[in-house]
Amino acid sequence: MYHERGMRQPEIAAHLGMSQARVSRLLKEAADRDVVRTVVVSPDGIHAELEDALAEQYGLRDAVVVDAEGAGTEVIPALAAATAVYLDATLKGGDVIGISSWSATLLESVNVMRAKTTPVAQEVVQIVGGSGSPEVQLHATRLTSRLAELTGARPVFAPSAALVGSRELRDLLWQEPAVAEVVKAWSRLTMALVGIGTLEPSPMLRRSGNAIAPGDQRQLEALGAVGDVCTRYFDAEGRVVKADFDDHIIGISPEQLRAVDRRIGVAGGTSKIAAIRGAALGGWINVLVTDVEVARALVSRG
């Protein structure tokens, strides 16, 4: 009567001549004895079990899996939309957000994100140098400024290239007041929003002038590197791979990044499976937004 005919408990009690309390007890007993079972059917495009498996297998705080497939840029719109929704749901107030400068996916995410009606962040801080060739730098600047505008935060820019010519130049830049302000802000981060790269620089990074040189790329490959977060490279198990240009980087260190409470990695496409797996295993991220094809590969590989 209750489950198949849709009758209410008072109607059932009156029909059977018993109390409503007894009807309620009998319904509970039916569930306890497996006479009645509840089955939840996820709507198309929802991958809750896969998300739970990813989180458990890789020790993530959260995982978001989107219904998209492909090797590269074709998954960006779906990843961007999911990231925008995730941020809208989880930004509650007072956050200091670090953001990597050269991610086309993150840029698309802020383009589709809705503005919050009240401030939900204090600062949005670039965590890797955001200067580059003029026609591309505007994208890095827009990424930071637009996210700050949407969240009611103050933007903090890293006025330097991600890779500079020498260690001496990097040390000099560290001492510049504008750069020193950014470096100081890294210790206040409560959240980091990052892309995950492979050894092959993305078109946006290449055009910015911040991509590693072919010789450095070959060295990293020989050292076993599979990917990077904020120009810090790691191997298939997530261990740091030190390259000759490490002391030329203007960007957050691996130790500083891992100290951030919530580290959201946004990446997809089958070409990035090894890099995403390494980032998760190494603790570079603890929240992952990715596509269903990559998620299945990650769960099957372990």
Side-chain angles (χ1 to χ4, degrees), residues 9-10 12-13 16-30:
Q9 290 187 27
I12 297 170
L16 297 178
M18 63 177 66
S19 70
Q20 186 176 336
R22 188 178 178 200
V23 170
S24 180
R25 285 196 300 271
L26 288 170
L27 286 170
K28 182 178 184 303
E29 186 177 345

Side-chain angles (χ1 to χ4, degrees), residues 1 14 23 29 38 57 82 104 114 140 150 181 199 204 222 227 235 259 265-266 281-282 293 298:
M1 291 178 181
V23 170
E29 186 177 345
T38 302
Q57 198 162 318
R114 295 183 304 172
L150 292 167
E181 180 192 4
L199 294 190
M204 184 175 175
D235 66 13
V266 182
L281 287 174
E293 196 170 2
L298 292 174

Side-chain angles (χ1 to χ4, degrees), residues 118-174:
T118 57
V120 292
Q122 295 178 2
E123 296 173 304
V124 174
V125 185
Q126 287 183 332
I127 54 178
V128 66
S131 297
S133 59
E135 68 273 15
V136 182
Q137 183 181 330
L138 62 90
H139 295 306
T141 302
R142 174 175 169 74
L143 173 56
T144 303
S145 60
R146 179 60 177 159
L147 183 58
E149 179 185 346
L150 292 167
T151 57
R154 180 177 76 96
V156 181
F157 299 99
S160 163
L163 280 170
V164 297
S166 67
R167 178 177 182 173
E168 292 73 23
L169 179 54
R170 183 205 64 177
D171 291 344
L172 285 172
L173 287 168
W174 278 144

Side-chain angles (χ1 to χ4, degrees), residues 57-113:
Q57 198 162 318
Y58 290 92
L60 302 173
R61 285 177 53 163
D62 208 355
V64 178
V65 175
V66 302
D67 214 19
E69 296 181 358
T73 56
E74 55 266 40
V75 302
I76 287 179
L79 292 177
T83 303
V85 171
Y86 182 82
L87 292 174
D88 185 62
T90 58
L91 285 172
K92 299 301 181 186
D95 276 304
V96 178
I97 305 169
I99 191 161
S100 56
S101 303
W102 305 106
S103 169
T105 307
L106 296 185
L107 179 60
E108 183 63 21
S109 299
V110 301
N111 284 340
V112 299
M113 187 176 171

Side-chain angles (χ1 to χ4, degrees), residues 187-231:
S187 65
R188 301 193 296 269
L189 298 178
T190 61
M191 186 182 98
L193 187 60
V194 301
I196 300 170
T198 64
L199 294 190
E200 183 64 33
S202 69
M204 184 175 175
L205 184 62
R206 192 184 299 280
R207 286 184 288 128
S208 76
N210 286 289
I212 59 173
D216 293 323
Q217 192 173 332
R218 288 191 293 271
Q219 181 198 29
L220 285 167
E221 191 172 2
L223 292 170
V226 297
D228 84 289
V229 170
C230 297
T231 323

